[in-house]
Amino acid sequence: MTSRATPAAKAANAPVLLIEDTASLAMVYRSVLTSAGHRVLVAGTAAEGLTLFRDRSPSVVLLDLLLPDRNGLELMQDFLALRPSAAIIVITANGSIAKAVEAMRAGAHEFLVKPFDEQRLLAAVENAARPRPVVVPPPAVPRPVSRASSEAFIGSSPVMDRIHATIRSVASSMATVFITGESGTGKELCALAVHDNSARASGPFIALNCGAIPQDLLESEVFGHMKGSFTGAVSDKPGAATAADGGTLFLDEVCEMAPALQTKLLRFLQTSTVQPVGATRPRKVNVRIICATNRDPADAVRRGQFREDLYYRLYVVPIHMPPLRERGNDVIEIAEAALSRFGAEEGRAFDGLAPQVANLFRRLPWPGNVRQVLNVIRNVVVLNEGGLVTPDMLPAHLADQDDAPEPLAAEAPAPQIDSLIGLTLAEIERQVIEATIARHGGSVPKAARVLDIAPSTLYRKREGWAQD
């Protein structure tokens, strides 16, 4: 089996996007591609796939035509409208050959009919990743020169200067780096920066999202398995730790790892050996570990959800990626860089942000951080012809997140401690949540930021209360 990605794919350093709603198949396809040296992004729905396509600019898209939330052909048209040069490989069942032919006519690069073997999958992906003739845009339109989503590391704020200095200092060592920060702040890009500035830059960078893989498959995904070691293990499979030999293993959302696997990870860190499921002998590997989480790892230790000895083993050089709202004028630099890059990709020339837009961007809390800024700018570029970006060109929902003056606290008094005595915890929680939402003018997203929980959790709780 191929052990490394093609030179063209490595040069582009762009990931492969896999959109497959059957979790078991997604894990198999991802394992095959990762073992061959590809960086893989996985989405289970059309909505997730579209977001990753916009944010991460994958070199190749593997698209299952049967998705739970949308027709795959319609999604492919959106991809090609956003980036006509995208290489899309459609995946279809044996009874849907007509759909595959339709997809080819609509612009797909190739199609795969289930079931297909590893070599067929790898050949299709590597063929799609080969450089194709590029249509040179008119001279007046600049060509994109930055790596996808590199805007996350643009910024001259003091906090980003300190992060860059830390990366430069730690990159040359073997010390484990532990990256924390909210979703969308660029934790994986930070890990890539450490890898790219190290002596391991020519080696593989293997990223594994511990929160996106079922716990019963995670051990096999990290350490691999031997043929016949469990039902469905039809061949030997190297895990991510083996695939990262000579390079870097990035464990994202590491606090979501099951306790039993935490023990094995600790042993791996202590011995630098991996033992695949079903193997009788361990194998020595040379891997640098970088991990990340959007949770507070110390709190996970206190709650008994994360081993304390593993925490201290991993938490050697901490790097905290700050939320965008704490990075001052960086948001303007990020937005303008994205505007230039996306405009070049779409063949449209923009003249920057109007003062009103720049002021709004500085005020906004950006709960989705850099990822949200990129989505907003992509929306502006796709839906407008060019020129100066004015407020009327922004997505309509953006103004709802404006941290303009809030209603006075007196208009929504918080519950007093004495009034809570005698209530159940559930009743207290409801009063506090409703009072927080009221204090923030009825805005659930703003209340969620104050309460440090997801807006979806608040919506779900309120729906449940309405049914009581």
Side-chain angles (χ1 to χ4, degrees), residues 421-451:
I421 302 301
L423 300 180
T424 66
L425 284 175
E427 292 168 335
I428 293 172
E429 178 189 59
R430 179 173 181 175
Q431 285 202 23
V432 171
I433 287 175
E434 294 291 8
T436 305
I437 293 173
R439 174 167 289 188
H440 290 81
S443 171
V444 171
K446 291 181 181 179
R449 289 199 302 276
V450 172
L451 296 169

Coordinates of all heavy atoms in Angstrom, one line a residue, residues 421-451:
I421 N -33.1 29.9 47.7 CA -33.1 28.9 48.7 C -34.4 28.1 48.7 O -35.5 28.7 48.7 CB -32.9 29.6 50.1 CG1 -31.6 30.4 50.1 CG2 -32.9 28.5 51.2 CD1 -30.3 29.5 49.9
G422 N -34.3 26.8 48.7 CA -35.5 26.0 48.7 C -35.8 25.5 47.3 O -36.7 24.6 47.2
L423 N -35.2 26.0 46.3 CA -35.4 25.5 44.9 C -34.5 24.4 44.6 O -33.4 24.2 45.2 CB -35.2 26.7 43.9 CG -36.1 27.9 44.1 CD1 -35.7 28.9 43.0 CD2 -37.6 27.5 44.0
T424 N -34.9 23.5 43.7 CA -34.1 22.5 43.2 C -33.0 23.1 42.3 O -33.1 24.2 41.8 CB -34.8 21.4 42.4 OG1 -35.3 22.0 41.2 CG2 -36.0 20.9 43.2
L425 N -31.9 22.3 42.1 CA -30.9 22.8 41.2 C -31.4 23.1 39.8 O -31.0 24.0 39.1 CB -29.7 21.8 41.1 CG -28.8 21.7 42.3 CD1 -27.8 20.6 42.1 CD2 -28.1 23.0 42.5
A426 N -32.3 22.2 39.3 CA -32.9 22.4 38.0 C -33.7 23.7 37.9 O -33.6 24.5 36.9 CB -33.8 21.3 37.6
E427 N -34.4 24.0 39.0 CA -35.2 25.3 39.0 C -34.2 26.5 39.1 O -34.5 27.5 38.5 CB -36.1 25.3 40.2 CG -37.3 24.3 40.1 CD -38.0 24.1 41.4 OE1 -37.4 24.3 42.5 OE2 -39.2 23.7 41.3
I428 N -33.2 26.4 39.9 CA -32.2 27.5 40.0 C -31.5 27.7 38.6 O -31.4 28.8 38.1 CB -31.1 27.2 41.0 CG1 -31.8 27.2 42.4 CG2 -30.0 28.2 41.0 CD1 -30.8 26.7 43.5
E429 N -31.2 26.6 37.9 CA -30.5 26.7 36.6 C -31.5 27.5 35.6 O -31.0 28.4 34.9 CB -30.2 25.3 36.1 CG -29.6 25.3 34.7 CD -29.5 24.0 34.0 OE1 -30.6 23.3 33.9 OE2 -28.4 23.6 33.7
R430 N -32.7 27.1 35.7 CA -33.7 27.8 34.7 C -33.8 29.3 35.0 O -33.8 30.1 34.1 CB -35.1 27.1 34.9 CG -36.1 27.7 33.9 CD -37.4 26.9 33.9 NE -38.4 27.5 33.0 CZ -39.6 27.0 32.8 NH1 -39.9 25.8 33.3 NH2 -40.4 27.6 31.9
Q431 N -33.9 29.6 36.3 CA -34.0 31.1 36.6 C -32.7 31.8 36.2 O -32.8 32.9 35.6 CB -34.2 31.2 38.1 CG -35.6 30.9 38.6 CD -36.0 31.5 39.9 OE1 -35.4 32.6 40.3 NE2 -36.9 31.0 40.7
V432 N -31.6 31.2 36.4 CA -30.3 31.9 36.1 C -30.2 32.1 34.6 O -29.8 33.1 34.0 CB -29.1 31.2 36.6 CG1 -27.8 31.7 36.1 CG2 -29.1 31.2 38.2
I433 N -30.6 31.0 33.8 CA -30.5 31.1 32.4 C -31.4 32.1 31.8 O -31.1 33.0 31.0 CB -30.7 29.7 31.8 CG1 -29.5 28.8 32.0 CG2 -31.0 29.8 30.3 CD1 -29.8 27.3 31.6
E434 N -32.7 32.1 32.3 CA -33.7 33.0 31.8 C -33.3 34.5 32.1 O -33.5 35.4 31.3 CB -35.1 32.7 32.3 CG -35.6 31.4 31.8 CD -36.0 31.4 30.4 OE1 -35.7 32.3 29.6 OE2 -36.6 30.4 29.9
A435 N -32.8 34.7 33.3 CA -32.4 36.0 33.7 C -31.2 36.5 32.9 O -31.1 37.7 32.5 CB -32.0 36.1 35.2
T436 N -30.3 35.6 32.6 CA -29.1 36.0 31.8 C -29.5 36.4 30.3 O -29.1 37.3 29.7 CB -28.1 34.9 31.7 OG1 -27.7 34.5 33.0 CG2 -26.8 35.3 31.0
I437 N -30.4 35.6 29.8 CA -30.9 35.9 28.4 C -31.7 37.2 28.4 O -31.5 38.0 27.5 CB -31.9 34.7 27.9 CG1 -31.1 33.4 27.7 CG2 -32.6 35.1 26.6 CD1 -31.9 32.2 27.4
A438 N -32.5 37.5 29.4 CA -33.2 38.7 29.5 C -32.3 39.9 29.6 O -32.4 41.0 29.0 CB -34.2 38.7 30.7
R439 N -31.2 39.7 30.5 CA -30.2 40.8 30.7 C -29.5 41.2 29.4 O -29.1 42.3 29.2 CB -29.2 40.4 31.7 CG -28.1 41.5 31.9 CD -27.3 41.2 33.1 NE -28.1 41.6 34.3 CZ -27.5 41.6 35.6 NH1 -26.2 41.3 35.7 NH2 -28.3 41.9 36.6
H440 N -29.4 40.2 28.5 CA -28.7 40.5 27.2 C -29.7 40.7 26.0 O -29.5 40.3 24.9 CB -27.8 39.3 26.9 CG -26.6 39.3 27.8 ND1 -26.6 38.8 29.1 CD2 -25.3 39.9 27.6 CE1 -25.4 39.0 29.6 NE2 -24.6 39.6 28.8
G441 N -30.9 41.3 26.4 CA -31.8 41.7 25.4 C -32.5 40.6 24.6 O -32.9 40.7 23.5
G442 N -32.6 39.4 25.3 CA -33.2 38.2 24.6 C -32.2 37.5 23.7 O -32.7 36.5 23.0
S443 N -31.0 37.8 23.7 CA -30.0 37.2 22.7 C -29.5 35.9 23.4 O -28.7 36.0 24.4 CB -28.9 38.1 22.4 OG -27.9 37.4 21.7
V444 N -29.9 34.8 22.8 CA -29.4 33.5 23.3 C -27.8 33.4 23.1 O -27.1 32.9 24.0 CB -30.1 32.3 22.7 CG1 -29.5 31.0 23.1 CG2 -31.6 32.3 23.2
P445 N -27.3 33.7 21.9 CA -25.9 33.6 21.7 C -25.0 34.4 22.7 O -24.0 34.0 23.2 CB -25.7 34.1 20.3 CG -26.9 33.8 19.6 CD -28.0 34.1 20.6
K446 N -25.5 35.6 23.0 CA -24.8 36.5 24.0 C -24.8 35.8 25.4 O -23.8 35.8 26.1 CB -25.3 37.9 24.0 CG -25.0 38.7 22.8 CD -25.6 40.1 22.8 CE -25.3 40.8 21.5 NZ -25.8 42.2 21.5
A447 N -26.0 35.3 25.8 CA -26.2 34.7 27.1 C -25.3 33.4 27.1 O -24.7 33.1 28.2 CB -27.6 34.3 27.3
A448 N -25.2 32.7 26.1 CA -24.4 31.5 26.0 C -22.9 31.8 26.3 O -22.2 31.1 26.9 CB -24.6 30.8 24.7
R449 N -22.4 32.9 25.7 CA -21.0 33.3 25.9 C -20.8 33.6 27.4 O -19.8 33.3 28.0 CB -20.7 34.5 25.1 CG -20.6 34.2 23.6 CD -19.8 35.3 22.9 NE -20.3 36.6 23.0 CZ -21.3 37.1 22.3 NH1 -21.9 36.3 21.3 NH2 -21.8 38.3 22.4
V450 N -21.7 34.3 28.0 CA -21.6 34.7 29.4 C -21.6 33.4 30.3 O -20.8 33.3 31.2 CB -22.7 35.6 29.9 CG1 -22.7 35.8 31.4 CG2 -22.6 37.0 29.2
L451 N -22.5 32.5 30.0 CA -22.6 31.2 30.8 C -21.6 30.2 30.4 O -21.5 29.1 31.0 CB -24.0 30.7 30.6 CG -25.2 31.5 31.1 CD1 -26.5 31.0 30.6 CD2 -25.1 31.6 32.6

